[in-house]
Amino acid sequence: MTPHVIEPDPQAGAAVKAADRAHVFHSWSAQGLIDPLAVAGAEGSYFWDYDGNRYLDFTSGLVYTNIGYQHPKVVAAIQEQAGKLTTFAPAFAIDVRSEAARLIAERTPGDLDKIFFTNGGAEAVENAVRMARLHTGRTKVLSAYRSYHGATSTAINLTGDPRRWASDNGSAGVVRFWAPFLYRSPFYATTEAEESARALQHLEDTIAFEGPATIAAIILETVPGTAGIMTPPPGYLAGVREICDKYGIVFVLDEVMAGFGRTGKWFAAEHFDVVPDLMTFAKGVNSGYVPLGGVAINAEIAATFDKRPYPGGLTYSGHPLACAAAVATIQVMEDEKVVENAARIGETVLGPGLRELAERHPSVGEVRGMGVFWALDLVKNRETREPLVPYNAAGEANAPMAAFGAAAKKNGLWPFVNMNRTHAVPACNVSEAEAKEGLAALDAALAVADEHTA
Ligand SMILES: Cc1ncc(COP(=O)(O)O)c(C=O)c1O
């Protein structure tokens, strides 16, 4: 795409920054230690600051701008909806809400045909868990250590990563287990088949010792995202489906990050031929242009609430502006073959390109992913697989990853950095040229990471 002409305006940028520093309280941050970039605008796969610097966004925001920034058709649909009916309470049937639900339900696998709308991913997870508990009459929920499910009370408790620790007291009945991850196998496995079989045995053992009749749900990200983009080995998710059926446990797949094209299919579950009982979504459903998430519900669980009220709701459930953005986004994704593009870019550009980088850079321990959903696991030493920085490192201990990130930015790439990993997660409609531009910037930044290998 033609690069946007940037008119630098450092004074305006300084004012934005000053008001931010004075009044905005940022997520996940020590407020006095952060230095947020003041962003002047964004279009497609790029954004730019007030000083004339333009960045190729290899993060898709927080992995949600699946059709890039400012898609004119989606912007127009939001404007049109604002002129028609900006908002309306959730108890009413509204054309654009009905249409968004229909379009989503038509794309979700199996009989996930009813949609409960939320404002984002964490609320979707909260409500999926509530539905599972009410449906089964049980309380416990099993989740994976290497996972992220959101930052509200139950969702953060279900989360495996260290952002949970400060809020670990919030929700009763959460039990964590190890999901498969062959590169850093919790089961000392050496093949995918071994990893899958042992992970399933571990899950079944966990269930036996927790008491099957106490477990309402198992929640898994179909492909765990923030935790490292670990594609599950063949047979694993089908095995979890079987275990859930055996014990009457509700199977929840969290597709907040992996859904809506990111893996090169509408939903990642399609790669594994599994249909969960509940599926959470958000982010890519409307590229995050207006906050929206939801739970896709199967017929059996939906029927639980046919005669009995569902005890949950949100003022903005199915907000017309958010739904209009979803309808337009799904239309754009169909018309412009965005899902197919994500698959093709993964197979022909990002996959081969990242593997080629791994051959030349000793800091790359493993390349994994699919579609526009890739992780580079950076290591100090390929033989020992010791991570480039320790788990949850901060300050000086995190210096190698900070240096990598700074080098990427210097080369015009905004990288996704989490612990010892960088994720290549551009928009699903990223062009071949943009993806190659990203690979070239990663190449330069990895040379900096290489300096920290031993
Ligand atoms: C898999 C997954 N679930 C849930 C969430 C939480 O979504 P939100 O931040 O919209 O609440 C995220 C956010 O990154 C996610 O990746």
Side-chain angles (χ1 to χ4, degrees):
M1 122 172 218
T2 353
H4 192 93
V5 181
I6 305 163
E7 300 284 347
D9 188 352
Q11 237 182 330
V16 170
K17 185 73 159 278
D20 176 283
R21 297 293 52 227
H23 303 295
V24 178
F25 194 93
H26 285 263
S27 317
W28 306 119
S29 303
Q31 305 300 312
L33 300 181
I34 52 172
D35 183 25
L37 181 75
V39 171
E43 197 176 314
S45 290
Y46 294 90
F47 67 89
W48 50 92
D49 64 17
Y50 288 88
D51 295 325
N53 302 306
R54 195 176 70 121
Y55 297 97
L56 173 63
D57 186 358
F58 249 35
T59 71
S60 299
L62 282 174
V63 200
Y64 68 84
T65 51
N66 288 10
I67 56 162
Y69 295 102
Q70 295 297 111
H71 193 292
K73 288 192 174 154
V74 179
V75 171
I78 296 167
Q79 287 167 336
E80 197 184 313
Q81 185 63 38
K84 196 173 147 199
L85 186 66
T86 311
T87 190
F88 217 84
F92 297 83
I94 304 297
D95 57 358
V96 72
R97 185 183 292 146
S98 308
E99 182 63 356
R102 183 181 73 79
L103 291 174
I104 295 164
E106 277 177 9
R107 282 161 184 77
T108 49
D111 63 342
L112 297 165
D113 287 338
K114 286 259 169 85
I115 308 297
F116 177 73
F117 284 116
T118 64
N119 301 303
E123 286 175 354
V125 169
E126 295 280 333
N127 280 283
V129 167
R130 178 179 290 148
M131 287 173 193
R133 284 178 168 157
L134 291 164
H135 178 71
T136 58
R138 304 171 179 177
T139 51
K140 276 184 200 160
V141 186
L142 268 55
S143 66
Y145 275 107
R146 294 189 193 272
S147 69
Y148 182 72
H149 293 291
T152 52
S153 173
T154 303
I156 198 68
N157 273 258
L158 288 165
T159 290
D161 89 25
R163 286 176 287 179
R164 181 192 84 244
W165 297 344
S167 308
D168 233 348
N169 52 351
S171 166
V174 172
V175 176
R176 271 164 237 98
F177 62 96
W178 293 99
F181 179 21
L182 184 59
Y183 186 66
R184 300 191 180 286
S185 172
F187 310 108
Y188 304 97
T190 53
T191 65
E192 287 206 314
E194 232 172 43
E195 182 73 357
S196 180
R198 292 180 188 181
L200 287 168
Q201 187 60 52
H202 159 71
L203 176 59
E204 202 156 2
D205 290 346
T206 306
I207 291 169
F209 277 74
E210 286 295 330
T214 68
I215 299 166
I218 294 174
I219 183 166
L220 281 169
E221 294 171 75
T222 313
V223 177
T226 311
I229 314 186
M230 293 89 74
T231 309
Y236 179 71
L237 291 175
V240 177
R241 174 73 275 179
E242 267 178 43
I243 289 173
C244 285
D245 290 342
K246 183 167 161 190
Y247 297 110
I249 295 170
V250 171
F251 188 16
V252 185
L253 279 179
D254 183 344
E255 293 238 4
V256 166
M257 191 178 279
F260 286 96
R262 183 132 304 271
T263 66
K265 302 252 187 217
W266 276 98
F267 293 98
E270 290 170 48
H271 290 284
F272 308 99
D273 243 348
V274 286
V275 180
D277 302 303
L278 297 170
M279 194 161 84
T280 53
F281 64 87
K283 298 189 188 260
V285 60
N286 63 6
S287 242
Y289 283 24
V290 185
L292 184 68
V295 188
I297 310 161
N298 77 3
E300 194 189 330
I301 298 178
T304 298
F305 304 104
D306 269 350
K307 297 281 181 308
R308 165 185 175 191
Y310 174 62
L314 299 152
T315 297
Y316 305 132
S317 180
H319 193 283
L321 287 185
C323 287
V327 170
T329 297
I330 292 169
Q331 202 56 59
V332 161
M333 288 176 80
E334 289 287 3
D335 294 348
E336 299 177 12
K337 303 208 176 320
V338 171
V339 181
E340 293 84 341
N341 185 70
R344 187 178 58 81
I345 290 287
E347 273 159 33
T348 64
V349 186
L350 284 179
L354 292 169
R355 282 190 280 270
E356 193 273 325
L357 289 181
E359 275 170 28
R360 286 190 290 108
H361 291 283
S363 58
V364 181
E366 189 181 52
V367 176
R368 47 179 185 264
M370 57 175 105
V372 285
F373 205 30
W374 292 88
L376 299 185
D377 207 303
L378 303 188
V379 292
K380 270 201 176 126
N381 181 301
R382 273 187 181 165
E383 295 303 313
T384 63
R385 301 186 181 182
E386 183 187 348
L388 194 66
V389 297
Y391 189 72
N392 205 27
E396 203 38 48
N398 195 44
M401 287 308 292
F404 163 82
K409 287 173 195 171
K410 218 173 112 210
N411 284 282
L413 180 81
W414 200 267
F416 185 104
V417 176
N418 183 279
M419 300 201 194
N420 69 311
R421 287 167 277 107
T422 186
H423 293 183
V425 284
C428 299
N429 61 353
V430 68
S431 70
E432 195 173 316
E434 289 163 348
K436 285 186 174 159
E437 182 187 326
L439 289 170
L442 278 178
D443 193 3
L446 286 170
V448 173
D450 291 344
E451 291 167 15
H452 299 272
T453 57

